[in-house]
Amino acid sequence: MTGQDAATPAGMTGQEAVPSIRVVVADDQELVRGGFAMILDAQPDIDVVAEAGDGLQAVAAVREHDADVLLLDIRMPRMDGIEAAKIVCAETGCRVLMLTTFDHDDYVYDALRAGASGFLLKDVRRDDLVNAVRVVAEGESLLAPTVTRRLISEFTSRPAARPAARPADALDVLTARERETLQLIARGLSNAEIAKAMVVSEHTVKTHVSNLLAKLGLRDRVQAVITAYESGLAVPGA
């Protein structure tokens, strides 16, 4: 790991240094944590500034190093990943990318509600891991259409339904096209697929997405999916 390198004196080179994405890797399994850290730190635009073995350490590391992205395991000792994500998302500008085995984790939905920008399976490929960190660092969410559909099926259709966090009339601020866009986002469609379904340009879809996120006070597409289901605008299996 490179950690925090000493600043290069001004005028030493003819090129300005490209800002690195500052990452904290948090997982209670040392080999897993070290493997992810090694892969990420090998990238020229990513700097792993700290590793953490539990949620408390993760929160402290994000604060200390002013991290851009926290790669965070859901299940950890002392403070679990969900609670750590809530704190980090509420109190810092750091983006949270959750790690999960998915088939054995019942808390992915709660992690996304906590403000996480997306999640990765622990057997993620090297290139996908690096790309995921770059995507969330840029302010985007990482919720691929196939993952969205699986998430919806697994978590929002359970008998023990969670209480609605947002009443249906809260969506009245949206235009008809924005509501339609939100429904399609909730079905797991990409911008290109939404554009095709609505017979509009991708640029128009991006505008609708930006507008609905702003009107509803949502952070990203992940929260948009959750809002659509919690408000009843979208129905599992529909």
Side-chain angles (χ1 to χ4, degrees):
M1 282 174 40
T2 59
Q4 298 184 66
D5 298 326
T8 301
M12 289 295 290
T13 67
Q15 295 181 329
E16 293 185 4
V18 177
S20 293
I21 300 170
R22 301 168 64 80
V23 177
V24 171
V25 179
D27 194 297
D28 62 334
Q29 299 180 52
E30 184 177 358
L31 289 179
V32 173
R33 183 174 73 240
F36 284 144
M38 181 177 64
I39 291 170
L40 293 173
D41 215 34
Q43 307 305 310
D45 59 334
I46 297 176
D47 183 14
V48 176
V49 295
E51 296 181 25
D54 60 52
L56 287 176
Q57 291 179 359
V59 173
V62 167
R63 289 170 171 162
E64 179 182 353
H65 298 283
D66 192 23
D68 301 306
V69 176
L70 169 60
L71 190 62
L72 179 65
D73 186 18
I74 286 181
R75 294 183 173 182
M76 287 191 299
R78 295 213 294 168
M79 177 188 289
D80 66 29
I82 295 172
E83 188 61 30
K86 288 179 182 177
I87 295 172
V88 169
C89 292
E91 300 181 5
T92 78
C94 182
R95 309 281 292 187
V96 176
L97 187 56
M98 306 298 301
L99 288 167
T100 177
T101 54
F102 198 92
D103 289 331
H104 304 291
D105 280 318
D106 295 332
Y107 306 110
V108 174
Y109 182 85
D110 293 325
L112 296 177
R113 281 196 62 191
S117 296
F119 61 88
L120 292 172
L121 299 181
K122 282 196 173 182
D123 60 357
V124 62
R125 296 184 305 174
R126 178 188 301 259
D127 290 347
D128 290 339
L129 170 66
V130 173
N131 178 65
V133 168
R134 289 171 177 155
V135 166
V136 299
E138 291 174 358
E140 299 296 328
S141 59
L142 190 80
L143 202 58
T146 53
V147 173
T148 305
R149 295 173 187 129
R150 188 172 180 185
L151 175 70
I152 290 164
S153 174
E154 180 70 16
F155 294 100
T156 66
S157 62
R158 292 187 173 186
R162 298 167 176 80
R166 187 181 297 268
D169 59 9
L171 304 185
D172 289 347
V173 296
L174 303 181
T175 66
R177 292 301 253 175
E178 288 165 355
R179 287 175 69 93
E180 183 180 359
T181 301
L182 181 55
Q183 286 178 312
L184 295 174
I185 289 174
R187 284 172 49 191
L189 272 63
S190 66
N191 282 352
E193 291 170 329
I194 293 173
K196 184 176 180 180
M198 296 177 63
V199 194
V200 297
S201 69
E202 241 183 289
H203 176 75
T204 298
V205 172
K206 290 179 181 178
T207 299
H208 287 330
V209 172
S210 296
N211 288 343
L212 71 88
L213 291 179
K215 287 181 178 180
L216 297 177
L218 303 177
R219 181 175 177 137
D220 51 32
R221 290 173 80 101
V222 172
Q223 291 191 338
V225 171
I226 293 169
T227 295
Y229 281 88
E230 289 186 335
S231 67
L233 179 66
V235 179

